[in-house]
Amino acid sequence: MEKAKAENTGRRKRWNWVVAGALIAIFVAVAVSSRTSPNLSLFGLTRTPCLCAKYSGIVEDCCCDYETVDRLNEELLHPSLQELVKTAFFRYFKAKLWCDCPFWPDDGMCRLRDCSVCECPDSEFPESFKMPHSQEDPICQEGKPQAAVDRTIDSKSFRGWTEADNPWTYDDETDNSEMTYVNLQLNPERYTGYTGPSARRIWDAIYSENCPKYPSEELCHEEKILYKLISGLHSSISIHIAADYLLDEAINSWGQNLSLMYDRVLSYPDRVRNLYFTFLFVLRAVTKAADYLEYAEYDTGNPNEDLKTQSLMRQLLFNPKLQAACPVPFDEAKLWKGQRGPELKQQIQKQFRNISALMDCVGCEKCRLWGKLQVLGLGTALKILFSVDGQEHSAQNLQRNEVIALMNLLNRLSESVRFVHEMGPSVERIMEGQISSLSAPNNIWQRILSFIVKTKVSS
């Protein structure tokens, strides 16, 4: 009896020493692997550097730093723009939604009804927008209220605004015959199911045919700027799709697709940097046109609403914090220098017009709507910053639809920058943690646990 008790006591002591030794081995192994693999930490979590540390200093080719941009966006730009785009004036956008693709037969098929854009009732529009319906009364494709669109046209809604075509874009903005008004608040930019070869062909054509790959030693500074603008816009669009994604079609469950956001944007630092660059580029265009935008006619037939819109614009344009912290977000005076300046400007203008024309090839109606709006907004920013064909006062020659597109684009970019700043670090930790969990160092736990179990069994 005493002999058996002594053997049990000895076995327990040996087992305790085994466990203690295993624990020591765990901490030694983690310490060693942490030195060779900085992303590994105790309990399998990753220590990813803060996103704000990854993106610090001056935004490339701009005049503001990342920290200032994030602070101004959080405190001033994002809340002001969110309120501004909901006003009646900035809520409605005029677009040609039914156009033939000038480059290839349209074979894009949208998988979800969320692709469609539909009519909305006359009662929704401001009085100054209305006119009797035309002979053709388009029927809503899906009858989905979230995608409602009013397709009425009224030339009087443009009084006080220049009827001038934008030399940077393909659509004739002065031709109202095939235009329709869209309520942007009822047609949010989100996932629509538009994927596959048709969607990829659009971006392939934009990058390969009209926007040379960057970086390239053969590209001049201006051509790199064009690439960065398109890349930044692409990043913003991807973020909005991932931020409002159909997670489960069967139960119509929407939410954030963090994996998609990481795979398309966050895992590519240059795409994040290009997003910030595009944001500052468009912001510079808005501030440069401030004197014109301050006194523009924001007329919707509702005096109180119109005064509110003008007040919001002035608060945004002349905010002392913005003027003090980032007075010139981007310095356009550095471009188009030298003998090739005028020729290069014409070349890049032609490339951007081709990109604009490609929006008619988008096979999803709602995607085409937001593509047209944001490309027109970017074209308006280019028009303001860079005169073409001797137009030296482009900021004083804006039409209503251009201003609506410009401010809505700035708002979309502001939302994307805010999401990257607030959610980026968490998304990176989650996604890189999943990747690290599959790597060899994390198998230490399994090997040690296996050793302990084998030791206990043998004892």
Side-chain angles (χ1 to χ4, degrees):
M1 186 74 174
E2 292 297 328
K3 183 179 180 182
K5 184 184 293 186
E7 288 180 355
N8 288 336
T9 302
R11 190 179 295 114
R12 281 197 300 271
K13 287 181 178 179
R14 286 196 302 273
W15 171 245
N16 290 339
W17 280 110
V18 168
V19 172
L23 289 174
I24 292 172
I26 288 174
F27 286 105
V28 170
V30 169
V32 171
S33 60
S34 295
R35 294 184 67 174
T36 58
S37 179
N39 287 334
L40 180 68
S41 66
L42 199 57
F43 310 118
L45 298 179
T46 56
R47 293 199 302 268
T48 304
C50 175
L51 194 70
C52 56
K54 183 184 293 186
Y55 304 105
S56 60
I58 299 295
V59 178
E60 187 181 18
D61 293 319
C62 293
C63 308
C64 299
D65 58 71
Y66 287 95
E67 295 81 3
T68 300
V69 173
D70 288 326
R71 177 172 53 80
L72 289 175
N73 192 44
E74 184 68 27
E75 297 176 1
L76 166 65
L77 297 171
H78 183 263
S80 297
L81 288 165
Q82 288 285 293
E83 194 172 359
L84 184 69
V85 298
K86 292 175 184 175
T87 63
F89 181 87
F90 286 102
R91 190 185 308 153
Y92 299 100
F93 177 67
K94 183 184 72 168
K96 281 184 183 178
L97 295 180
W98 296 332
C99 303
D100 293 329
C101 174
F103 302 107
W104 58 74
D106 181 17
D107 58 358
M109 295 299 294
C110 215
R111 202 169 57 82
L112 301 179
R113 65 178 184 174
D114 297 89
C115 279
S116 66
V117 179
C118 311
E119 284 188 288
C120 61
D122 284 347
S123 58
E124 184 180 324
F125 271 79
E127 287 297 324
S128 62
F129 279 59
K130 293 180 181 177
M131 68 173 291
H133 280 288
S134 61
Q135 295 294 325
E136 298 180 5
D137 191 9
I139 299 174
C140 176
Q141 297 175 9
E142 294 289 343
K144 184 174 182 179
Q146 296 96 312
V149 169
D150 191 318
R151 301 183 182 278
T152 57
I153 304 295
D154 181 12
S155 59
K156 291 182 180 178
S157 64
F158 295 94
R159 65 178 180 272
W161 291 87
T162 305
E163 283 285 347
D165 201 19
N166 189 326
W168 287 86
T169 56
Y170 177 77
D171 278 348
D172 181 4
E173 298 294 330
T174 65
D175 180 11
N176 289 338
S177 60
E178 298 179 12
M179 294 289 190
T180 182
Y181 275 109
V182 180
N183 186 333
L184 298 173
Q185 294 297 306
L186 299 181
N187 292 273
E189 184 183 21
R190 66 198 304 197
Y191 173 77
T192 62
Y194 180 54
T195 58
S198 177
R200 284 196 299 271
R201 181 160 61 170
I202 300 295
W203 287 111
D204 287 345
I206 288 174
Y207 284 114
S208 63
E209 298 177 28
N210 301 292
C211 198
K213 288 292 183 183
Y214 169 80
S216 170
E217 308 241 347
E218 300 177 0
L219 294 185
C220 65
H221 187 56
E222 288 81 358
E223 289 172 318
K224 292 179 181 179
I225 293 293
L226 176 61
Y227 173 86
K228 292 169 71 172
L229 288 173
I230 298 304
S231 173
L233 178 59
H234 193 179
S235 296
S236 180
I237 291 171
S238 296
I239 288 170
H240 281 102
I241 291 172
D244 198 359
Y245 196 87
L246 184 59
L247 301 175
D248 190 333
E249 190 173 351
I251 59 174
N252 196 35
S253 173
W254 293 78
Q256 297 173 354
N257 188 330
L258 302 184
S259 176
L260 183 70
M261 188 175 301
Y262 180 81
D263 291 341
R264 290 191 179 181
V265 181
L266 296 179
S267 60
Y268 298 90
D270 61 307
R271 296 180 185 179
V272 175
R273 295 187 187 101
N274 292 341
L275 168 64
Y276 274 79
F277 170 80
T278 305
F279 179 48
L280 288 176
F281 185 93
V282 176
L283 178 62
R284 168 55 182 157
V286 170
T287 58
K288 184 173 183 177
D291 291 340
Y292 181 80
L293 295 173
E294 179 186 9
Y295 295 105
E297 292 188 26
Y298 302 103
D299 179 19
T300 63
N302 184 332
N304 292 332
E305 177 82 0
D306 299 340
L307 284 174
K308 175 186 175 183
T309 303
Q310 191 167 48
S311 175
L312 287 170
M313 282 295 292
R314 287 174 176 170
Q315 291 174 32
L316 178 66
L317 296 169
F318 301 104
N319 188 282
K321 287 185 179 179
L322 176 61
Q323 292 180 330
C326 193
V328 183
F330 172 82
D331 186 5
E332 68 278 6
K334 295 179 180 179
L335 301 179
W336 320 117
K337 300 297 184 182
Q339 249 182 339
R340 283 194 63 219
E343 176 190 348
L344 192 57
K345 189 182 298 182
Q346 294 287 346
Q347 173 192 324
I348 292 179
Q349 182 192 35
K350 181 181 178 181
Q351 289 175 326
F352 193 83
R353 281 178 61 86
N354 286 340
I355 293 171
S356 174
L358 278 165
M359 295 303 101
D360 284 334
C361 301
V362 177
C364 160
E365 193 176 43
K366 190 177 290 184
C367 307
R368 187 183 308 137
L369 162 66
W370 281 102
K372 282 177 172 282
L373 180 143
Q374 293 180 92
V375 168
L376 176 60
L378 199 51
T380 303
L382 288 163
K383 174 182 173 179
I384 293 171
L385 296 180
F386 309 131
S387 62
V388 178
D389 297 331
Q391 300 174 15
E392 297 297 337
H393 303 286
S394 297
Q396 310 299 321
N397 191 28
L398 300 176
Q399 57 136 320
R400 175 179 182 152
N401 215 40
E402 291 175 331
V403 174
I404 292 172
L406 179 68
M407 300 310 297
N408 273 279
L409 170 61
L410 186 61
N411 178 61
R412 304 310 285 169
L413 294 168
S414 169
E415 288 179 341
S416 296
V417 166
R418 182 172 183 261
F419 197 97
V420 167
H421 176 64
E422 293 187 351
M423 295 292 296
S426 300
V427 175
E428 287 193 348
R429 280 194 295 270
I430 292 170
M431 298 308 302
E432 292 179 9
Q434 292 177 3
I435 295 171
S436 296
S437 67
L438 302 176
S439 63
N442 283 323
N443 290 331
I444 293 171
W445 295 96
Q446 297 176 1
R447 292 198 299 270
I448 293 175
L449 181 61
S450 176
F451 169 75
I452 292 174
V453 170
K454 286 179 181 178
T455 304
K456 183 170 177 62
V457 170
S458 64
S459 64

